Amino acid sequence: MKKIILFLTFLTPFLAYSQTVKLEGTVKDNSGPLEMANVIAFKKGTNLLKSYSITDVKGRYKLSLEQDQEYTLKVSYLGYETKNVDVSLSDSENQTKDIVMSESNESLNEVELTYEMPVRIIGDTIVYNTDSFTTGTEKKLEDILEKLPGIEIDDNGEIEVEGKKVQKVLVEGKEFFDGDTKLATQNIPANAVDKVQVLKNYNEVSGMRGITNNEDNIAINIKLKEGKSRFWFGEVNAGAGISDDDFKYLGKPKLFYYSPDKSVNILADFNNIGLPPFTRRDYFRFTGGLRGAMHGSGTSFNVSSNNLGFTMAQNNRAQEIVSNFGAANFSLTPKESLVFNGFSIVNDSRTDMFVQRNTVYNESGIIDNSETVSKQNNKLAMLKFSTTYTPNNDLHIDYDIFGKISKQTERNDVTSTQRSADTYLEEQPISLNQNLNAYYTLNEKNVFSSELQYIYEKDTPLFNSIAEEQPFEIIPSIDQDYYDLFQNRKFSTSKFDGKVDYYYLLNNKSNLNFTLGTTLSSQKFESDLSQKLENDSVVNFDEENLNNDVDFYFSDIFLGIHYKLVKGILTFNPGLSIHKYKVEDVQLGTTDTDELTKVLPDIYARLQFNSSQSLRFNYAITTQFSDINKAAEGYLLTNYKSLTRGNRDLDNSLNHRYSLSFFSFSLFSFTNINTSISYTRKVNGIKNNTEIIGIDRLTYPLNSEFADETFSGFFRYGKTYNKFKTNFRANINNSIFNNIVNDEWVESKTFTQNYQASVATKFKNSPNFEVGYQLSFSKYAATGSTTNRPFANLEIPFLKSFIFTADYSYYNYRNDEKTYENKYSFLNANLYYQQKDSKWEFRLTGSNLTDNRSINTDSYNEISNTNTTSLYYIQPRLWMFSVKYIL
């Protein structure tokens, strides 16, 4: 009997949803259909909003309403009188109602005071009234955005709108930590959000709007609820728990202040429950909002840090992660023309990892069983200050200075059937970036812009390896019971990028763009290798191939011209750039200099079928140059069984890239379609020549005789119904890479596919759930694998003050030969208690309730021809009780 009652309770919302009818029609005036008109259905005689629609390009609207009810339709359109139409849905048949609007000189302000449209479109801005989509169970901004049509949150916590990455997040028009989307989605409290504004074709510089192509520039502005302005608000979280008899804790205070002329945001997070608020990956991803001055120039020259290859946590999981995070952000507007912004971030974390591996070297038949215990410590800090000066609409000046400093260490204890070793890695990178940008509109025909950037980077990596035997024949052998190798490195880079653009506006539909720019880079790299003996003395190896003392210079001076034409639905923007390159390296007592000239074309074309549908084509040739890391001829230790060196005779490579993308987002049918295909062909690419000696590897780069090719495709379809939100996405990637192994060219082919479908409910006062299925295929030359992942999320409010949430994922991995299969699942649950209007919230959390202790992975490396099975250990089941107080 209880099961029947539970089933009927669960089924009730669906039965209610099924008793609906559709009301359709068109909105027009005397001259034809009206696009983007608002149609709202209220229950007759009340202000209770039951459904809404926004007309499409043909003026059509569609409403899903309960039958046997009477409604009042309020129809509004800018510049027209609001029209009230009464309708009665007395039977189950769908009905049609056309509406004719009359022009008016009055604005919609009076109408907007009486009711709130769930979605409004104002030019390039979409405004979501969040209360129309939320249920009150949301805890942070991410929870709100996931319920808005056309907006998605990816696996990295970054925001996508209509298939495009959001570049910046603003709160009340002010940058939130320079617009970083992940910090915003994870930290802005849901109860503070009133509206979400999607700003399409976003450009901070008013004079550049309409001149450059800004279709991919999207920002989100968060409007706060009344009472949050001019007041401090926030929340404090504190919790304690247990996992395998280990004490666990959580402390997470947040404090915010917003007013028209200033804002302050303070965040902190202290926990040992395995939830890193700011990872090492985030540190290197975080640019501080600095612009890439040479973006789209046709040259790819990215300076890379001489990093040692620290172990990355899998899906931010490990045996133990302890984090101490703090951040502060401010914005100050002393006068309308002047804005100051800045932030600081500090983080101190420790990560413990344990991995068991079984590696089979297929060529030699060697089997290596190993266990690796890793302990990482990461300390980092970032500081940013920026100012914007706009004395008038014709002049815009930005200045930014952004510094980063960190210290990262890792100790590895490897126990192996082939060779055991202890390794120690240490890095202390420092970087300082400065930007100065100016934009000036001389008159309606002439616009100038200047973008300058200077980067300084410095690092002193240290690698230490203690092995039972001498790992490499090229390193002199000093016989003793163990081999203690040290390698010290010094690395520095000074890089300047600058360009000046001149735009001549031929008319409102076309312009010419002339660009003069340069990149100047100077790098210095030193390294030495030594061995510590049993008596604590040190032997320095003086061989040229074991030391580096390199100076590396790169310069690019270029001139570009582009023509932009808008003709009906077509935007056509072809161009080319002429580059004069010079590359010079000084090492081994000699100087190598290479000079060359390249002409690089590019084409951009867009068909804008209507305000919500477009087809885009891009083609570009880019020249890619390697930096000092690929030129230094001395050998470097990358781990206890791998040596690598550079090659000063490397040439540049050419990348040909074609892409075709289609975007469609309809607020009439709440359908979001995004699909794209791309093809990249890399000619003269830089590849590794690898020599395999037992379990050891020696590599150096060279230019490939064969072209690497990659074809990729992406498709996403999302549709929001009255009470349901559905999503489907597919990714495919087919790649051909070429490498040299033991002096033989090896062609590596990979073909990967990933499909995911899900459906989620959107009930206001009933349980909500999401169910989905993810299917992944990977195919390599010698093997392949399949992963099945069904998942489900549940959200149940009950007894007015309780909320229960749960998420479940099941993984089933197997290889094509069916010789290996791995199954595991994760279940997490939360029980919240908060009385209405109370500032206190109590939470009971259960993480990893299935008590998984490890994650299995199976991989194949075509270069070394190895199969590896890994067992990666993670934090076990965790129970925690926490309290939140809303300030």
Side-chain angles (χ1 to χ4, degrees):
M1 185 66 181
K2 290 182 179 179
K3 293 182 179 180
I4 297 175
I5 294 174
L6 181 62
F7 175 74
L8 292 176
T9 302
F10 182 75
L11 192 63
T12 298
F14 300 95
L15 295 175
Y17 172 69
S18 65
Q19 298 171 349
T20 61
V21 296
K22 289 183 180 179
L23 177 63
E24 301 175 299
T26 60
V27 178
K28 57 186 177 180
D29 63 4
N30 293 329
S31 60
L34 298 176
E35 184 183 5
M36 301 299 178
N38 296 325
V39 182
I40 307 176
F42 293 91
K43 193 170 182 178
K44 189 174 181 179
T46 72
N47 287 324
L48 184 61
L49 189 150
K50 303 300 291 184
S51 186
Y52 71 96
S53 180
I54 297 176
T55 58
D56 65 2
V57 67
K58 297 180 180 180
R60 297 177 300 178
Y61 73 90
K62 184 191 300 182
L63 301 171
S64 293
L65 299 166
E66 296 178 14
Q67 67 183 55
D68 300 325
Q69 298 286 337
E70 293 184 342
Y71 300 92
T72 298
L73 303 184
K74 289 185 180 290
V75 187
S76 58
Y77 190 78
L78 189 64
Y80 288 73
E81 292 183 356
T82 299
K83 195 157 191 176
N84 295 332
V85 180
D86 292 334
V87 294
S88 177
L89 304 179
S90 56
D91 52 48
S92 59
E93 296 295 326
N94 294 338
Q95 296 189 23
T96 301
K97 188 73 175 180
D98 295 331
I99 301 165
V100 180
M101 304 290 287
S102 302
E103 290 189 22
S104 172
N105 293 326
E106 298 179 3
S107 68
L108 292 179
N109 290 339
E110 182 178 348
V111 175
E112 292 173 355
L113 289 174
T114 59
Y115 63 88
E116 189 73 65
M117 186 69 182
V119 183
R120 289 184 298 153
I121 298 179
I122 308 171
D124 286 335
T125 302
I126 302 176
V127 182
Y128 294 93
N129 178 42
T130 60
D131 286 344
S132 301
F133 300 93
T134 56
T135 62
T137 60
E138 299 77 19
K139 302 302 177 183
K140 54 185 181 292
L141 177 62
E142 178 183 31
D143 302 329
I144 294 177
L145 296 179
E146 288 179 330
K147 296 184 178 181
L148 304 183
I151 299 181
E152 302 288 339
I153 306 293
D154 67 12
D155 294 337
N156 297 317
E158 298 185 25
I159 310 169
E160 292 183 1
V161 172
E162 301 173 21
K164 304 172 186 176
K165 292 279 187 184
V166 171
Q167 308 295 320
K168 185 167 290 191
V169 174
L170 311 172
V171 179
E172 293 291 341
K174 299 174 176 61
E175 294 181 353
F176 186 85
F177 288 93
D178 262 1
D180 185 72
T181 57
K182 182 178 178 181
L183 281 179
T185 57
Q186 298 298 314
N187 288 285
I188 296 177
N191 59 10
V193 180
D194 181 34
K195 293 179 177 58
V196 174
Q197 298 176 333
V198 175
L199 313 176
K200 299 197 289 186
N201 301 317
Y202 178 73
N203 196 321
E204 296 173 324
V205 185
S206 59
M208 303 302 294
R209 294 169 189 162
I211 298 177
T212 56
N213 298 316
N214 302 311
E215 290 78 16
D216 286 336
N217 294 349
I218 296 179
I220 281 183
N221 182 44
I222 305 301
K223 300 294 289 183
L224 301 175
K225 290 184 176 179
E226 290 186 15
K228 301 299 183 183
S229 180
R230 299 182 185 274
F231 290 95
W232 288 95
F233 67 95
E235 60 187 37
V236 178
N237 284 271
I242 190 169
S243 176
D244 257 13
D245 297 327
D246 294 331
F247 175 72
K248 299 296 179 179
Y249 63 86
L250 167 68
K252 196 172 184 179
K254 305 174 186 177
L255 196 59
F256 309 92
Y257 177 83
Y258 283 89
S259 70
D261 61 345
K262 67 176 70 72
S263 69
V264 179
N265 305 290
I266 301 173
L267 309 174
D269 193 324
F270 313 98
N271 77 81
N272 67 344
I273 62 174
L275 294 177
F278 199 78
T279 65
R280 186 170 178 269
R281 183 182 287 110
D282 293 331
Y283 172 79
F284 289 104
R285 172 190 60 84
F286 207 96
T287 63
L290 294 177
R291 304 164 182 83
M294 293 296 104
H295 176 71
S297 69
T299 300
S300 175
F301 176 74
N302 298 317
V303 295
S304 55
S305 62
N306 199 272
N307 64 77
L308 299 171
F310 282 74
T311 306
M312 303 298 290
Q314 294 188 19
N315 299 320
N316 291 329
R317 293 180 183 271
Q319 264 197 322
E320 185 171 32
I321 301 176
V322 180
S323 300
N324 299 287
F325 169 81
N329 175 73
F330 82 93
S331 177
L332 177 64
T333 309
K335 56 182 180 178
E336 187 175 350
S337 60
L338 186 62
V339 179
F340 298 107
N341 289 287
F343 70 83
S344 62
I345 295 176
V346 293
N347 190 68
D348 185 355
S349 65
R350 190 191 83 237
T351 304
D352 296 343
M353 290 172 279
F354 177 52
V355 185
Q356 293 177 321
R357 294 186 179 91
N358 173 266
T359 302
V360 178
Y361 292 78
N362 297 312
E363 189 76 20
S364 61
I366 295 174
I367 299 177
D368 184 11
N369 292 306
S370 66
E371 292 184 350
T372 303
V373 178
S374 301
K375 294 185 178 297
Q376 283 186 1
N377 287 280
N378 295 299
K379 296 180 179 180
L380 60 89
M382 296 188 288
L383 184 66
K384 166 79 182 294
F385 173 78
S386 64
T387 181
T388 300
Y389 179 58
T390 52
N392 51 57
N393 291 331
D394 297 329
L395 180 62
H396 183 110
I397 300 175
D398 293 318
Y399 173 73
D400 307 295
I401 182 168
F402 178 44
K404 297 198 295 185
I405 184 171
S406 69
K407 181 178 180 180
Q408 299 138 21
T409 63
E410 177 177 310
R411 294 186 182 275
N412 298 294
D413 181 0
V414 182
T415 303
S416 168
T417 56
Q418 294 298 319
R419 182 190 302 134
S420 297
D422 293 335
T423 62
Y424 174 76
L425 294 73
E426 179 180 302
E427 291 183 1
Q428 300 185 59
I430 299 172
S431 69
L432 182 68
N433 292 23
Q434 295 185 77
N435 263 20
L436 178 62
N437 307 301
Y439 309 89
Y440 178 62
T441 302
L442 179 64
N443 51 47
E444 62 181 13
K445 289 287 187 179
N446 301 277
V447 178
F448 297 86
S449 74
S450 172
E451 298 181 0
L452 310 175
Q453 184 180 75
Y454 174 74
I455 301 173
Y456 174 77
E457 295 181 351
K458 181 181 179 181
D459 195 5
T460 55
L462 167 65
F463 183 89
N464 173 221
S465 172
I466 303 176
E468 295 175 339
E469 60 185 61
Q470 175 63 283
F472 305 104
E473 293 182 359
I474 64 173
I475 299 177
S477 178
I478 301 176
D479 190 28
Q480 58 180 28
D481 291 338
Y482 61 89
Y483 294 85
D484 191 352
L485 297 177
F486 281 86
Q487 186 162 62
N488 292 283
R489 310 180 193 179
K490 293 181 181 179
F491 172 82
S492 64
T493 295
S494 295
K495 181 169 175 276
F496 171 79
D497 295 309
K499 69 172 183 175
V500 176
D501 283 285
Y502 166 62
Y503 299 88
Y504 179 67
L505 279 62
L506 301 172
N507 50 53
N508 292 334
K509 299 293 185 180
S510 62
N511 66 66
L512 286 170
N513 169 216
F514 300 92
T515 305
L516 177 64
T518 186
T519 294
L520 304 172
S521 175
S522 172
Q523 294 181 288
K524 176 74 174 177
F525 178 56
E526 299 176 8
S527 73
D528 59 69
L529 186 64
S530 60
Q531 181 174 348
K532 185 178 180 180
L533 303 182
E534 293 175 343
N535 60 7
D536 289 337
S537 62
V538 176
V539 176
N540 296 310
F541 300 119
D542 297 326
E543 287 80 0
E544 282 189 341
N545 64 342
L546 300 179
N547 292 270
N548 284 291
D549 187 358
V550 188
D551 292 295
F552 188 87
Y553 306 96
F554 173 84
S555 68
D556 171 24
I557 300 174
F558 66 93
L559 178 66
I561 181 172
H562 287 80
Y563 172 66
K564 181 179 179 180
L565 171 68
V566 180
K567 185 75 173 179
I569 66 172
L570 173 66
T571 298
F572 187 58
N573 190 190
L576 60 84
S577 55
I578 303 172
H579 295 255
K580 178 67 174 179
Y581 298 108
K582 183 178 180 179
V583 182
E584 179 179 292
D585 80 89
V586 182
Q587 61 180 313
L588 303 175
T590 61
T591 300
D592 273 4
T593 303
D594 188 19
E595 298 185 19
L596 66 154
T597 301
K598 292 287 184 181
V599 178
L600 305 174
D602 61 90
I603 297 174
Y604 171 87
R606 186 179 81 251
L607 292 174
Q608 192 72 43
F609 301 111
N610 52 53
S611 60
S612 59
Q613 285 188 344
S614 65
L615 180 68
R616 185 190 311 170
F617 172 76
N618 278 284
Y619 168 71
I621 299 178
T622 59
T623 308
Q624 185 171 3
F625 291 86
S626 57
D627 70 347
I628 196 170
N629 290 290
K630 294 291 187 181
E633 294 267 355
Y635 277 100
L636 300 174
L637 287 164
T638 54
N639 61 51
Y640 71 96
K641 57 182 179 180
S642 177
L643 272 179
T644 185
R645 68 172 178 86
N647 180 0
R648 67 189 309 187
D649 297 322
L650 290 175
D651 295 326
N652 67 283
S653 61
L654 284 178
N655 295 339
H656 299 256
R657 188 175 191 277
Y658 307 79
S659 66
L660 184 67
S661 305
F662 174 74
F663 301 92
S664 175
F665 178 62
S666 172
L667 282 171
F668 162 69
S669 60
F670 289 105
T671 303
N672 181 23
I673 300 174
N674 173 26
T675 183
S676 64
I677 56 173
S678 66
Y679 171 74
T680 301
R681 179 180 175 85
K682 179 179 286 189
V683 180
N684 205 35
I686 298 173
K687 311 300 295 183
N688 281 329
N689 185 348
T690 303
E691 182 181 2
I692 305 295
I693 307 172
I695 65 171
D696 299 324
R697 177 188 300 190
L698 280 75
T699 64
Y700 70 91
L702 48 71
N703 291 103
S704 173
E705 301 175 9
F706 307 98
D708 288 349
E709 299 177 277
T710 300
F711 173 83
S712 62
F714 172 77
F715 175 78
R716 172 185 284 166
Y717 175 84
K719 185 174 178 61
T720 300
Y721 300 89
N722 188 32
K723 299 297 181 184
F724 294 94
K725 183 178 182 179
T726 60
N727 276 294
F728 173 79
R729 65 184 183 193
N731 289 279
I732 62 170
N733 185 286
N734 189 23
S735 301
I736 300 175
F737 298 110
N738 298 276
N739 292 282
I740 301 178
V741 180
N742 293 335
D743 296 323
E744 292 185 4
W745 281 101
V746 176
E747 184 182 75
S748 303
K749 295 182 179 180
T750 63
F751 181 53
T752 60
Q753 306 170 68
N754 186 283
Y755 306 94
Q756 180 173 309
S758 65
V759 58
T761 60
K762 296 173 50 189
F763 299 114
K764 271 282 188 181
N765 301 306
S766 301
N768 283 297
F769 71 88
E770 179 187 23
V771 293
Y773 200 93
Q774 186 178 37
L775 183 60
S776 302
F777 303 96
S778 297
K779 184 68 176 178
Y780 307 98
T783 187
S785 64
T786 301
T787 302
N788 293 271
R789 176 183 168 252
F791 60 91
N793 301 305
L794 184 65
E795 182 181 272
I796 303 175
F798 63 99
L799 298 180
K800 296 185 179 180
S801 300
F802 288 91
I803 300 171
F804 175 76
T805 66
D807 59 86
Y808 175 79
S809 294
Y810 175 81
Y811 296 82
N812 183 352
Y813 171 90
R814 67 177 183 274
N815 60 12
D816 287 354
E817 293 80 14
K818 298 182 180 179
T819 58
Y820 177 81
E821 185 173 14
N822 182 34
K823 300 177 182 179
Y824 58 93
S825 60
F826 285 103
L827 173 63
N828 305 302
N830 296 278
L831 179 63
Y832 300 89
Y833 173 76
Q834 183 178 21
Q835 292 185 340
K836 186 178 180 181
D837 300 326
S838 173
K839 293 181 177 294
W840 294 93
E841 178 189 87
F842 303 92
R843 176 184 178 185
L844 179 63
T845 299
S847 299
N848 189 13
L849 294 177
T850 49
D851 201 24
N852 284 304
R853 301 300 176 106
S854 61
I855 301 173
N856 288 56
T857 58
D858 190 31
S859 62
Y860 174 75
N861 188 309
E862 292 191 72
I863 294 177
S864 58
N865 191 16
T866 57
N867 291 91
T868 301
T869 301
S870 299
L871 201 62
Y872 181 85
Y873 285 78
I874 60 174
Q875 184 170 272
R877 181 189 294 122
L878 166 69
W879 292 101
M880 173 162 282
F881 177 76
S882 59
V883 178
K884 180 171 74 175
Y885 180 74
I886 301 173
L887 302 174

